[in-house]
Amino acid sequence: MSMNSFGHIFRVTTWGESHGPALGATVDGCPPNIPLDAEMLQVWLDKRRPGQNKHTTQRNEPDQVRILSGVYDGKTTGTPIQLMIENTDQRSKDYGEIETTFRPGHADITYWQKYGIRDPRGGGRSSARETAARVAAGGVAREALKALLPGLQIKGYMTQMGALHLDRTKFDWDAIDQNPFWLPDNAAVQEWEDYLHHLRTREHDSVGAAIEVVVRGAPAGLGAPIYAKLDTDLTAAMMSINAVKGVEIGEGMAAAGLRGTENADEISMGDDGPLFSSNHAGGILGGISSGQDIVVRFAVKPTSSILTPRQSITKTGQPVEVVTKGRHDPCVGIRAVPVGEAMAACVMLDHVMLHRAQMGDGPRGKIG
Amino acid sequence: MSMNSFGHIFRVTTWGESHGPALGATVDGCPPNIPLDAEMLQVWLDKRRPGQNKHTTQRNEPDQVRILSGVYDGKTTGTPIQLMIENTDQRSKDYGEIETTFRPGHADITYWQKYGIRDPRGGGRSSARETAARVAAGGVAREALKALLPGLQIKGYMTQMGALHLDRTKFDWDAIDQNPFWLPDNAAVQEWEDYLHHLRTREHDSVGAAIEVVVRGAPAGLGAPIYAKLDTDLTAAMMSINAVKGVEIGEGMAAAGLRGTENADEISMGDDGPLFSSNHAGGILGGISSGQDIVVRFAVKPTSSILTPRQSITKTGQPVEVVTKGRHDPCVGIRAVPVGEAMAACVMLDHVMLHRAQMGDGPRGKIG
Amino acid sequence: MSMNSFGHIFRVTTWGESHGPALGATVDGCPPNIPLDAEMLQVWLDKRRPGQNKHTTQRNEPDQVRILSGVYDGKTTGTPIQLMIENTDQRSKDYGEIETTFRPGHADITYWQKYGIRDPRGGGRSSARETAARVAAGGVAREALKALLPGLQIKGYMTQMGALHLDRTKFDWDAIDQNPFWLPDNAAVQEWEDYLHHLRTREHDSVGAAIEVVVRGAPAGLGAPIYAKLDTDLTAAMMSINAVKGVEIGEGMAAAGLRGTENADEISMGDDGPLFSSNHAGGILGGISSGQDIVVRFAVKPTSSILTPRQSITKTGQPVEVVTKGRHDPCVGIRAVPVGEAMAACVMLDHVMLHRAQMGDGPRGKIG
Amino acid sequence: MSMNSFGHIFRVTTWGESHGPALGATVDGCPPNIPLDAEMLQVWLDKRRPGQNKHTTQRNEPDQVRILSGVYDGKTTGTPIQLMIENTDQRSKDYGEIETTFRPGHADITYWQKYGIRDPRGGGRSSARETAARVAAGGVAREALKALLPGLQIKGYMTQMGALHLDRTKFDWDAIDQNPFWLPDNAAVQEWEDYLHHLRTREHDSVGAAIEVVVRGAPAGLGAPIYAKLDTDLTAAMMSINAVKGVEIGEGMAAAGLRGTENADEISMGDDGPLFSSNHAGGILGGISSGQDIVVRFAVKPTSSILTPRQSITKTGQPVEVVTKGRHDPCVGIRAVPVGEAMAACVMLDHVMLHRAQMGDGPRGKIG
């Protein structure tokens, strides 16, 4: 059972509501002797933090993470690591009428229908604020991966924002960390900024996005078929992020339009092992990594919290017009980038551990 | 841990290889007192069975399922239900050279790299034949759902096969069961047949497909946020199916291109509860069902087993040209339809049970 | 996987070390709409708290629990409940030499051998202080059980302390809460006090204990055979408590000496259902509750932290004499009583939920 | 969730009823490349098999196990291993009246109360016959342990049968496999035989037993605190066996009567690592193995199926006298010996794998 947990062995349980005293993540199963302190995690939280640029929520919280357990003398001990982020700025007055009104496109109505009770302050448990806990847990996973798989890189970036698409011919891996959209094309940043500024200030609207996360440098052999396939677990991890509506591995949905002669990546022998002529598979075959770049992509819907009025109903079934005046991102997809990276980091570490459980550190099947 | 199991409470473990003595599913957690016999399951297996039409593998196995446990006097007892399908037609001589060769686009190479051993006969555990066990388990879930949620319907159909797309303006729910493509448009069937026939016999090629599964009649309130969301579990279930590369809920990847004013489904009050102006959400908000149709869609890549030669390598790293002469479907996506339905049935039952665990049969949050 | 979690659906994860900033429990799966506040939990923590009487550790901490999530407006929301207890009194100087020395009978040596690192302050994760988190979680379970099974009682009491045994002919259910030993015989309390006082002050020794926990008022039908039997889960819950070395259900180990004619509880028909002539079974048959009192009993070893010198070794393998000068209970079994109760409460709630998952609130098999 | 499964990574699901077509175990997570065939498992099944001597059930079934999956070319492949035992001798006529009658001391009544349906033939799922599947799975675990921990020994033996106790001063490890009671004292066998013969033929009675299982040669460091402690998992494994009412580790319940000066095992430095002056701990400290012999002991109640009449009721609540005429063991504890061994083997392998997941094959904390 895993209502608020994910992972097989590196197991993360997130807890907390948007406007409660605190939220966080309980991280179980981390390998011992991994160097860890709060600063290492803060880096990633700062990346996700609202108020980073003018396109993300202006709520100005430090999002300071504390490590309450599982670390001694600067190293993990193999026991549960409790990560807590206190909610210091809880302007719940902004959210008063949400208690009796269901915002279209939000989980207000379904939480109510399921539980018969919900914390309406800032969306409660269904708020995207929950992803801060994931990002903190992902930071732990990154530190463990550094020790277990040195050389592994995990990077997320935007490939689409509404009508704008990444031009893949200009793909620049190094540009990703240099602009507020994590866009692998610095030259396009101004256009993306203008587009979003116009959308927010003039059209009072929001927009969806597509994010791609690449894992580079993973060895072949990770993944546990049939139902803990690496692609299955990555897909589930991404789909669990707020507002995600689709997930793709490699070719993704476009595979439906391909022929066998186009899709299969041909294999040749390189100096260091097998080489593939292409990467339609997204680095995963039969649920197991092939040694190629692992490529997962997901779509985030536009936030429904906009200034433009929308029709809805109240708890008593009365019609009501909903206008969201609070602080909201015009494109929540931007902040989904570090969240997607964090989820990928957790899944990769989990699968390294799962592989070791069954196979140990011993030799894998050799080729050549 | 769940390498070969899925589900939280209604828990299915599949076992078996393509060319071993048998394969099957161990189904744990089924409610008691559900009428069940092998014939009820056979219906669904026959739907998935190879050799049903000229477009699917000619391997001619009866795929006869036996119930070895968990049923007494025609009813489930609440104990594990063992479903076994014996492999009667195991022409393993067809597959001889696979032992030393890695077929491009197949899991041959990754299974070898992971385990250092693999059963090469018919793809072993990575064969699509494993999905027969899922279909049998899905049959059990369907019978339980009949008792728990009478009126629920689960239907899968194709929406794309290579260059051909379903014309949604001609969507006909009743046509789905009337043609070999499970196409909701009988008038298009001839075109699809011709397309596939040409592809197979003239071009010696295969093609991808997109399948949509709709769950109609599910109550609001199913789904267990944050990490056992209904959409997360449905997505994982579909991604675990062989050859699936992308999964979408409602708008899916297209959500990346939408604006907030376009995407959010507005709410009004109907006679029997809330009504939605549209279903971009695919029936799920915040991971919980809203009472609308639940819509999940997935893409299946074209099989890599084709008569056209492809470049690859052997275990010793030697280059080799691979031509697959065995019996293979030109579009494995066709047979993925009943598999997707079966996975949806299992997930839905699981979530009904999960909901009852926390909430019992008691009242939900009322509206109006 | 569940290294630091227990429970199938009502799932508790404890975290924290004896002398870290805080410890606590992440409680997932609690039913919604259960009245809950910190005071309700504090009652049980106060019962377990050190310094309650002269026989338990003099460490004087308030052990104040805070609820950080999962509760809104005084009621549970169905989302994870984070319970945190800050460590305010961390005299770690008391524990300095433990870092290099292995105390006999403690987990110092095995934690070191397993992890290659350990938090030596107060025993770190292996400290009995971890049980405070269980007691808090047990308080949540009790409140939920009140709503789901009104009338259910869970009581723990001592049946043995070293050479002293409870005289069952004088068993007084109401006396249990009236004395510091939770002894169901007020007349014997003075003897127990004298015994323990002498042991501690004159003999510088400690002593073991046996605790019995009774669940009264549970309906028949709880328990999920074969591997989630009610007795299996209760037994595992008790064995996971620090220093426990044996667990019994009903007759327990004495069953080995009985004959069939002596052991089986005969059945007759009463006004409200089946009656049993005796309760050798401890209220559980085939892993399922029978409606009788559920009786589980466990033995706690004497603490190894005593003033009498013991032989041991250091990390470098040098011989060393260990004398524990810190604050320690002469009989840790006393404080194990509320812990055992808490574990029983969690297991019972978990099984009520598990039963509902499979069976709903519907009718059970009727007799008569 | 794990109603019919146990183990974290090496995960065993048993299925099947006493008189259905077959029963078996689905074994998931086994390491690959372990030599395995049916004969290796049959050895252990033959040890458990009824009809082995005059003291166990005369039902004469070959209990032939078949491996249906997960093995290729004589080696495990890392995929699920399906073990099936067909029920060839199903004299269900012997059990006719059980359908309407509840046998005292049996699970008849609680299965009925829980599920509202039960398979009465031979006790259905609650029959001790289910343990044959465990023994087969334990055989797989033993083969994997041979490869992972060469030198490990797992032996079970009786320490008590009713009024008779093993004389530990005459303990002979080599005698265990030489007599039908697995008694470590050949000289006492005749007395045990006479006792049991008299009990069965003259007194028409049955008797309880205590079994001890020792794991010799396990390295220090196995076990995953807090809730997957090695002793917790061993205890749960034993308690899940039919008719078990108590489980002890090392001193067990007797620890309640000991003092700290008596109980803690003192430590000194030997040539190959730490040495302990005694083994009151049963080889486990803080849930982690210490390198000493791991000692677990459990009590099996006397079977309630005896020729002596017992009072009970029928489904309709009518009083009835129950006499069990079928084939039943006077001491089911005898056959519990190989079952206990099998459970211990599964738990040990599971913990070796769990340890590798978190720690890999790397170095442990060193002493000296």
Side-chain angles (χ1 to χ4, degrees):
Chain A
M1 272 295 313
S2 53
M3 290 197 285
N4 288 278
S5 308
F6 66 92
H8 302 279
I9 293 180
F10 182 77
R11 196 152 172 80
V12 176
T13 305
T14 71
W15 54 272
E17 277 79 35
S18 176
H19 285 57
L23 54 78
T26 311
V27 179
D28 197 7
C30 187
N33 281 303
I34 307 293
L36 190 73
D37 61 31
E39 284 66 37
M40 295 173 182
L41 308 181
Q42 198 60 43
V43 174
W44 307 109
L45 280 161
D46 289 348
K47 187 168 176 183
R48 192 211 76 101
R49 185 151 61 95
Q52 284 294 87
N53 63 39
K54 59 190 169 191
H55 308 301
T56 52
T57 300
Q58 287 87 27
R59 175 168 167 172
N60 193 359
E61 299 207 17
D63 264 359
Q64 206 72 37
V65 66
R66 286 181 63 202
I67 300 176
L68 298 184
S69 66
V71 174
Y72 178 67
D73 213 8
K75 289 184 180 172
T76 60
T77 58
T79 61
I81 301 168
Q82 182 59 259
L83 307 172
M84 181 174 72
I85 301 162
E86 288 183 82
N87 290 322
T88 52
D89 174 20
Q90 307 163 28
R91 294 190 226 162
S92 59
K93 56 183 174 293
D94 284 357
Y95 296 91
E97 69 187 3
I98 296 179
E99 186 144 19
T100 53
T101 302
F102 304 123
R103 294 170 296 170
H106 274 278
D108 301 338
I109 190 168
T110 51
Y111 266 69
W112 170 249
Q113 286 176 304
K114 181 177 190 70
Y115 297 110
I117 184 174
R118 69 191 174 94
D119 180 346
R121 300 168 302 170
R125 181 75 181 142
S126 70
S127 165
R129 187 153 170 66
E130 180 267 345
T131 59
R134 305 181 189 220
V135 170
V140 176
R142 281 181 187 267
E143 297 304 320
L145 283 168
K146 259 190 214 170
L148 272 56
L149 285 184
L152 190 85
Q153 291 184 66
I154 298 174
K155 282 216 182 187
Y157 45 87
M158 294 184 79
T159 60
Q160 185 185 354
M161 182 173 63
L164 303 180
H165 291 258
L166 168 68
D167 180 349
R168 286 188 184 264
T169 64
K170 298 181 178 162
F171 192 99
D172 177 4
W173 180 264
D174 296 324
I176 294 170
D177 291 326
Q178 297 169 359
N179 64 74
F181 296 105
W182 294 287
L183 194 61
D185 175 10
N186 281 330
V189 170
Q190 189 60 48
E191 185 189 4
W192 287 50
E193 290 221 351
D194 295 345
Y195 175 84
L196 200 58
H197 184 70
H198 183 81
L199 193 81
R200 183 166 65 92
T201 57
R202 302 293 170 87
E203 310 198 24
H204 296 163
D205 214 339
S206 62
V207 73
I211 290 94
E212 195 165 280
V213 177
V214 169
V215 181
R216 185 163 286 179
L222 301 179
I226 299 291
Y227 300 106
K229 286 175 172 171
L230 185 55
D231 41 5
T232 300
D233 282 357
L234 281 169
T235 301
M238 300 312 167
M239 187 54 92
S240 76
I241 300 172
N242 302 48
V244 172
K245 300 303 288 183
V247 187
E248 302 185 311
I249 301 291
E251 275 298 328
M253 297 305 294
L258 294 184
R259 294 183 175 201
T261 44
E262 297 167 320
N263 180 69
D265 309 307
E266 292 185 299
I267 315 174
S268 61
M269 194 64 193
D271 291 341
D272 301 324
L275 295 177
F276 294 85
S277 63
S278 50
N279 190 10
H280 297 284
I284 301 176
L285 287 167
I288 304 173
S289 64
S290 66
Q292 286 196 280
D293 279 4
I294 296 167
V295 182
V296 56
R297 199 165 39 253
F298 58 95
V300 178
K301 71 178 183 184
T303 182
S304 312
S305 302
I306 50 178
L307 278 167
T308 306
R310 310 296 295 159
Q311 290 303 319
S312 189
I313 57 174
T314 65
K315 256 194 203 178
T316 56
Q318 299 308 307
V320 66
E321 200 164 70
V322 175
V323 178
T324 310
K325 294 180 196 133
R327 304 151 302 181
H328 292 284
D329 298 356
C331 179
V332 288
I334 302 174
R335 283 167 56 195
V337 174
V339 181
E341 288 179 340
M343 297 307 282
C346 291
V347 171
M348 291 310 299
L349 175 60
D350 191 34
H351 273 278
V352 170
M353 295 177 76
L354 196 41
H355 184 83
R356 291 207 300 190
Q358 205 175 1
M359 252 63 71
D361 296 338
R364 297 148 192 257
K366 284 185 182 164
I367 296 175
Chain B
M1 272 295 313
S2 54
M3 291 197 285
N4 288 278
S5 307
F6 66 92
H8 302 279
I9 294 180
F10 182 77
R11 196 151 172 81
V12 176
T13 306
T14 71
W15 54 273
E17 278 78 36
S18 176
H19 285 58
L23 53 79
T26 311
V27 178
D28 197 8
C30 186
N33 279 303
I34 308 293
L36 190 73
D37 62 30
E39 283 67 36
M40 295 173 181
L41 308 181
Q42 197 61 43
V43 174
W44 307 108
L45 280 162
D46 288 347
K47 188 169 174 181
R48 191 209 77 100
R49 185 150 61 94
Q52 284 293 87
N53 63 39
K54 60 190 168 190
H55 308 301
T56 51
T57 299
Q58 286 87 27
R59 176 168 166 171
N60 194 0
E61 299 206 17
D63 264 359
Q64 206 72 36
V65 65
R66 287 181 63 200
I67 300 176
L68 299 184
S69 66
V71 173
Y72 177 67
D73 213 9
K75 289 184 179 172
T76 60
T77 58
T79 60
I81 301 168
Q82 183 58 260
L83 307 172
M84 181 175 72
I85 301 163
E86 289 183 81
N87 290 322
T88 52
D89 174 20
Q90 308 162 27
R91 293 191 227 163
S92 58
K93 56 183 174 294
D94 285 358
Y95 296 91
E97 69 185 4
I98 298 180
E99 187 145 16
T100 53
T101 301
F102 303 122
R103 294 170 296 168
H106 274 277
D108 300 338
I109 189 167
T110 51
Y111 266 69
W112 170 249
Q113 286 176 303
K114 181 177 190 68
Y115 297 110
I117 184 174
R118 69 191 175 94
D119 180 346
R121 299 167 303 169
R125 181 75 181 142
S126 70
S127 164
R129 188 152 170 67
E130 181 267 346
T131 59
R134 304 181 188 220
V135 170
V140 175
R142 283 182 187 266
E143 296 304 318
L145 283 168
K146 259 190 214 170
L148 271 57
L149 286 185
L152 190 85
Q153 291 184 65
I154 299 174
K155 281 215 182 188
Y157 45 86
M158 294 183 79
T159 61
Q160 185 185 354
M161 182 173 63
L164 302 179
H165 291 258
L166 169 68
D167 179 350
R168 287 189 182 261
T169 64
K170 298 182 177 160
F171 191 99
D172 177 4
W173 181 264
D174 296 324
I176 294 169
D177 292 326
Q178 297 169 359
N179 63 75
F181 295 105
W182 294 287
L183 194 61
D185 176 8
N186 281 328
V189 170
Q190 188 61 48
E191 185 190 5
W192 287 50
E193 290 221 350
D194 294 345
Y195 176 83
L196 199 58
H197 184 69
H198 183 82
L199 194 79
R200 183 165 65 91
T201 57
R202 300 293 170 88
E203 311 198 24
H204 297 161
D205 213 339
S206 62
V207 73
I211 290 96
E212 195 165 281
V213 177
V214 169
V215 181
R216 184 163 286 180
L222 301 180
I226 301 291
Y227 300 107
K229 287 175 171 170
L230 185 55
D231 40 5
T232 300
D233 282 357
L234 281 169
T235 301
M238 300 312 167
M239 187 55 90
S240 75
I241 300 172
N242 303 49
V244 172
K245 300 304 287 183
V247 187
E248 303 184 310
I249 302 292
E251 275 297 330
M253 297 305 294
L258 293 183
R259 294 184 174 201
T261 45
E262 298 166 320
N263 180 69
D265 308 308
E266 293 187 298
I267 316 174
S268 62
M269 194 64 194
D271 291 340
D272 302 324
L275 294 177
F276 295 85
S277 63
S278 50
N279 192 11
H280 297 283
I284 301 176
L285 287 166
I288 305 173
S289 65
S290 67
Q292 287 197 281
D293 279 3
I294 296 166
V295 182
V296 56
R297 198 165 39 252
F298 57 95
V300 178
K301 71 178 183 185
T303 182
S304 312
S305 303
I306 49 179
L307 278 167
T308 306
R310 309 296 293 161
Q311 290 303 322
S312 189
I313 57 173
T314 65
K315 257 194 202 177
T316 56
Q318 299 308 308
V320 66
E321 200 164 69
V322 174
V323 178
T324 311
K325 293 180 195 133
R327 305 150 303 180
H328 292 284
D329 298 356
C331 179
V332 288
I334 303 174
R335 284 166 57 193
V337 173
V339 180
E341 288 179 342
M343 296 308 282
C346 291
V347 170
M348 292 309 299
L349 175 60
D350 191 35
H351 273 278
V352 170
M353 296 178 74
L354 196 43
H355 184 82
R356 293 208 299 188
Q358 204 175 2
M359 253 62 73
D361 297 338
R364 298 148 190 258
K366 282 184 184 164
I367 296 174
Chain C
M1 273 295 313
S2 55
M3 291 198 283
N4 289 278
S5 308
F6 65 93
H8 302 279
I9 294 179
F10 182 77
R11 195 152 174 80
V12 176
T13 306
T14 72
W15 53 271
E17 277 78 35
S18 176
H19 285 58
L23 52 81
T26 311
V27 179
D28 197 7
C30 187
N33 280 302
I34 307 293
L36 190 73
D37 61 30
E39 283 66 37
M40 295 172 181
L41 308 180
Q42 197 60 45
V43 174
W44 307 109
L45 279 162
D46 289 347
K47 189 169 173 181
R48 192 210 76 100
R49 184 151 61 94
Q52 283 295 87
N53 63 38
K54 59 189 168 192
H55 309 299
T56 51
T57 299
Q58 285 88 28
R59 176 168 168 172
N60 193 358
E61 299 206 15
D63 264 358
Q64 207 72 36
V65 66
R66 288 181 62 201
I67 299 176
L68 298 184
S69 66
V71 173
Y72 177 67
D73 213 10
K75 289 184 179 172
T76 61
T77 58
T79 61
I81 301 168
Q82 183 57 261
L83 307 172
M84 181 175 71
I85 301 162
E86 288 182 82
N87 290 322
T88 52
D89 174 19
Q90 307 164 25
R91 293 191 226 162
S92 60
K93 56 183 174 293
D94 285 356
Y95 298 89
E97 69 186 6
I98 297 179
E99 187 145 17
T100 52
T101 302
F102 303 123
R103 293 169 296 168
H106 274 277
D108 301 338
I109 190 168
T110 51
Y111 266 70
W112 170 250
Q113 286 175 303
K114 182 178 190 70
Y115 297 111
I117 185 175
R118 70 192 173 91
D119 180 346
R121 299 167 303 170
R125 180 77 180 140
S126 71
S127 164
R129 188 153 170 66
E130 181 267 344
T131 58
R134 305 180 187 219
V135 170
V140 176
R142 282 181 187 265
E143 296 304 318
L145 283 168
K146 261 189 212 169
L148 271 58
L149 285 184
L152 191 85
Q153 291 185 65
I154 298 175
K155 281 216 180 186
Y157 45 86
M158 294 184 79
T159 60
Q160 184 184 356
M161 181 172 65
L164 302 179
H165 291 259
L166 168 68
D167 179 351
R168 288 189 182 261
T169 65
K170 297 181 178 161
F171 191 100
D172 177 5
W173 181 264
D174 296 323
I176 293 170
D177 291 326
Q178 297 169 0
N179 63 75
F181 296 105
W182 294 288
L183 194 60
D185 175 9
N186 281 328
V189 169
Q190 189 60 48
E191 185 191 5
W192 286 50
E193 290 222 350
D194 295 345
Y195 175 84
L196 200 59
H197 184 69
H198 183 82
L199 194 79
R200 182 167 66 93
T201 58
R202 301 294 171 86
E203 309 198 24
H204 297 160
D205 214 340
S206 62
V207 73
I211 290 94
E212 193 164 282
V213 177
V214 169
V215 181
R216 183 164 286 180
L222 302 179
I226 298 291
Y227 299 107
K229 287 175 171 171
L230 184 55
D231 40 5
T232 300
D233 282 357
L234 282 169
T235 301
M238 300 311 167
M239 187 55 91
S240 75
I241 301 172
N242 303 48
V244 172
K245 301 303 288 183
V247 187
E248 304 184 311
I249 302 290
E251 275 297 328
M253 297 305 295
L258 293 184
R259 293 183 175 200
T261 45
E262 296 166 321
N263 180 70
D265 308 308
E266 293 185 299
I267 315 174
S268 61
M269 194 64 193
D271 291 340
D272 301 324
L275 295 177
F276 294 85
S277 62
S278 50
N279 191 10
H280 297 284
I284 301 176
L285 287 167
I288 305 173
S289 65
S290 67
Q292 287 196 280
D293 279 5
I294 295 167
V295 182
V296 56
R297 198 165 41 253
F298 58 94
V300 178
K301 71 178 183 185
T303 182
S304 312
S305 303
I306 49 179
L307 278 166
T308 306
R310 310 295 294 160
Q311 290 303 320
S312 187
I313 57 173
T314 65
K315 257 193 203 179
T316 56
Q318 298 307 307
V320 65
E321 199 164 69
V322 175
V323 179
T324 310
K325 293 181 196 131
R327 304 151 304 181
H328 291 285
D329 297 356
C331 179
V332 288
I334 302 175
R335 283 167 56 193
V337 173
V339 180
E341 288 179 342
M343 295 308 282
C346 292
V347 171
M348 292 310 298
L349 175 60
D350 190 35
H351 272 279
V352 170
M353 297 178 74
L354 195 44
H355 184 82
R356 293 208 300 189
Q358 204 175 4
M359 252 64 71
D361 296 338
R364 297 147 192 257
K366 283 185 184 164
I367 296 174
Chain D
M1 273 294 313
S2 54
M3 291 198 284
N4 289 278
S5 308
F6 65 93
H8 302 279
I9 293 179
F10 181 77
R11 196 152 172 79
V12 176
T13 306
T14 71
W15 54 272
E17 278 77 36
S18 175
H19 285 57
L23 53 79
T26 311
V27 179
D28 197 7
C30 186
N33 280 304
I34 307 293
L36 191 73
D37 62 30
E39 283 66 37
M40 295 173 182
L41 308 180
Q42 197 61 44
V43 173
W44 307 108
L45 280 162
D46 289 347
K47 188 169 174 182
R48 192 211 76 101
R49 184 150 62 94
Q52 284 293 89
N53 62 38
K54 59 190 168 191
H55 309 299
T56 52
T57 299
Q58 286 88 27
R59 174 168 168 172
N60 194 357
E61 300 207 16
D63 264 358
Q64 206 73 36
V65 66
R66 286 183 62 201
I67 299 176
L68 297 184
S69 66
V71 174
Y72 178 66
D73 212 9
K75 289 185 180 172
T76 60
T77 59
T79 61
I81 300 168
Q82 183 58 259
L83 307 172
M84 181 173 72
I85 301 163
E86 289 183 81
N87 290 322
T88 52
D89 173 20
Q90 308 163 27
R91 293 191 227 163
S92 60
K93 55 183 175 292
D94 284 357
Y95 297 90
E97 69 185 4
I98 297 178
E99 186 144 18
T100 53
T101 302
F102 304 123
R103 293 170 297 169
H106 274 277
D108 301 338
I109 190 168
T110 52
Y111 265 70
W112 170 250
Q113 285 176 304
K114 181 177 191 69
Y115 297 111
I117 184 175
R118 69 191 174 92
D119 180 346
R121 301 167 301 170
R125 181 77 180 141
S126 70
S127 164
R129 188 153 170 67
E130 181 267 345
T131 59
R134 306 180 187 219
V135 170
V140 176
R142 282 181 187 266
E143 296 303 320
L145 283 168
K146 260 190 215 171
L148 271 58
L149 286 184
L152 191 84
Q153 290 185 66
I154 298 175
K155 281 214 181 188
Y157 45 87
M158 295 184 79
T159 60
Q160 185 185 355
M161 181 172 64
L164 302 179
H165 291 258
L166 168 67
D167 179 350
R168 287 190 183 262
T169 64
K170 298 182 179 161
F171 191 98
D172 176 6
W173 181 264
D174 296 323
I176 294 170
D177 291 326
Q178 296 168 0
N179 63 74
F181 296 105
W182 294 288
L183 194 61
D185 175 10
N186 281 328
V189 170
Q190 188 60 47
E191 184 190 5
W192 287 49
E193 291 221 350
D194 295 345
Y195 176 83
L196 199 58
H197 184 70
H198 182 83
L199 194 79
R200 182 165 65 93
T201 57
R202 301 294 169 86
E203 310 199 22
H204 297 160
D205 214 340
S206 62
V207 72
I211 290 95
E212 195 165 280
V213 177
V214 170
V215 181
R216 184 163 285 180
L222 301 179
I226 299 290
Y227 299 107
K229 287 174 172 171
L230 184 56
D231 40 6
T232 300
D233 282 356
L234 282 169
T235 301
M238 301 311 167
M239 188 54 92
S240 76
I241 301 172
N242 303 49
V244 171
K245 301 304 287 184
V247 186
E248 304 184 310
I249 302 291
E251 275 297 329
M253 298 304 293
L258 293 184
R259 295 185 174 198
T261 45
E262 297 166 321
N263 180 69
D265 308 308
E266 293 186 298
I267 315 174
S268 61
M269 194 63 195
D271 292 340
D272 302 324
L275 295 177
F276 295 85
S277 62
S278 50
N279 191 10
H280 297 284
I284 301 176
L285 287 167
I288 305 173
S289 65
S290 66
Q292 287 196 281
D293 278 4
I294 296 166
V295 182
V296 56
R297 198 165 40 252
F298 57 95
V300 178
K301 71 178 182 184
T303 182
S304 311
S305 302
I306 50 178
L307 278 167
T308 306
R310 310 296 295 160
Q311 290 302 320
S312 188
I313 57 174
T314 65
K315 258 193 201 179
T316 57
Q318 300 306 308
V320 65
E321 199 164 68
V322 175
V323 178
T324 310
K325 293 182 197 132
R327 304 152 302 181
H328 292 286
D329 297 356
C331 179
V332 288
I334 303 175
R335 283 167 56 193
V337 173
V339 181
E341 287 178 341
M343 296 308 282
C346 290
V347 170
M348 292 309 299
L349 175 61
D350 191 34
H351 273 279
V352 170
M353 296 178 74
L354 195 43
H355 184 83
R356 292 207 300 189
Q358 204 174 3
M359 252 64 71
D361 296 339
R364 297 149 192 256
K366 284 187 183 164
I367 296 175

